[in-house]
Amino acid sequence: QIAPVSLTIPADKKADEIWLRNSGNEVVHAQVRVYRWSQSQGEDVLAPDGGMVASPPMVQIEPGKQQLVRLVRVGPMAAPAPDERTYRLLIDELPIKKDKGKSKGLDFVFRYSVPVFIAGTAPAKPVLAWSMQQSGKHAGLVVTNSGNTHAQLADISFTPPGGKTTTVAGGLAGYVLPGQYRNIPLKVSPDLFTKGGTFTSLINGVKADTNVAPITKAH
């Protein structure tokens, strides 16, 4: 268990913290790393970055116990910027060697990915533009963010003119980072979007309606 599940660090703050709790019956060993988070061609990209580190980088958590992990900005702090900066904290469980004869089947390990944001100095506001694209038999939603902070998209539904509402992406659909765009594949027929319509979604937890033009074919 991880708390909080998302972290925003003020621009002038050197460090912040996250708690990891082991609610299982066995010791958990994990590696903790920080990556710079960007988006390219509509997809998430993680890259090593020396500007922030996790301490400790390796943890061992006994059953029922918890471990504090500090996220520390390394070196001279960069001058505060208007736009937020985005990172991901990756927590990788490590497999534990068991006594011979006690192991049955495969031992699965998990990766947890926590969004971490360094706040910008300007008032935080995502500015989104939505459009539809068709590639073959599939429909895709493209959301561009020209604002200065991220947009978390969830519970997306679509209503065509005079038609019924259809859920096209339930739960968390992803993030659109500032100055980037996100491709969200939809498991519905492109025919649903031929006349345009209205998307209803949660944007950073706030319900919003967005009108879109008819779908176009991707080149």
Side-chain angles (χ1 to χ4, degrees):
Q1 296 178 340
I2 302 168
V5 295
S6 177
L7 188 63
T8 297
I9 304 175
D12 58 353
K13 193 174 182 180
K14 185 76 172 180
D16 215 323
E17 58 192 37
I18 274 182
W19 285 93
L20 310 180
R21 179 175 177 80
N22 180 7
S23 58
N25 299 318
E26 297 183 355
V27 177
V28 170
H29 298 263
Q31 183 179 30
V32 188
R33 293 170 291 177
V34 182
Y35 288 87
R36 190 66 185 266
W37 176 23
S38 62
Q39 290 173 327
S40 176
Q41 302 299 314
E43 303 293 337
D44 287 340
V45 176
L46 300 181
D49 185 284
M52 182 185 294
V53 298
S55 178
M58 304 290 292
V59 298
Q60 176 180 312
I61 313 174
E62 301 292 331
K65 301 297 183 180
Q66 57 184 1
Q67 169 72 51
L68 175 68
V69 174
R70 287 174 54 81
L71 302 182
V72 182
R73 298 168 68 179
V74 178
M77 289 177 56
D83 295 355
E84 73 177 2
R85 281 168 282 179
T86 51
Y87 295 82
R88 280 272 178 179
L89 175 68
L90 296 189
I91 304 156
D92 290 300
E93 283 193 44
L94 302 177
I96 301 174
K97 292 183 179 180
K98 297 183 179 180
D99 296 337
K100 292 182 178 180
K102 292 185 178 181
S103 179
K104 295 182 180 180
L106 297 174
D107 290 327
F108 290 97
V109 293
F110 294 91
R111 164 171 284 187
Y112 306 89
S113 181
V114 179
V116 178
F117 307 101
I118 297 179
T121 56
K125 183 181 180 181
V127 179
L128 304 182
W130 298 50
S131 62
M132 296 298 305
Q133 285 190 352
Q134 177 180 349
S135 179
K137 297 181 180 180
H138 301 284
L141 172 62
V142 181
V143 184
T144 301
N145 183 2
S146 60
N148 65 351
T149 191
H150 69 276
Q152 182 202 64
L153 305 180
D155 295 338
I156 303 175
S157 61
F158 181 78
T159 308
K164 66 177 183 178
T165 299
T166 302
T167 297
V168 295
L172 179 62
Y175 289 79
V176 192
L177 303 184
Q180 307 292 332
Y181 70 93
R182 174 84 180 189
N183 289 325
I184 303 174
L186 304 178
K187 296 180 180 179
V188 291
S189 170
D191 295 342
L192 180 63
F193 310 100
T194 55
K195 295 181 180 180
T198 302
F199 280 103
T200 301
S201 63
L202 293 178
I203 302 175
N204 292 339
V206 179
K207 188 175 181 180
D209 291 334
T210 306
N211 295 325
V212 295
I215 194 169
T216 59
K217 288 190 176 183
H219 297 289

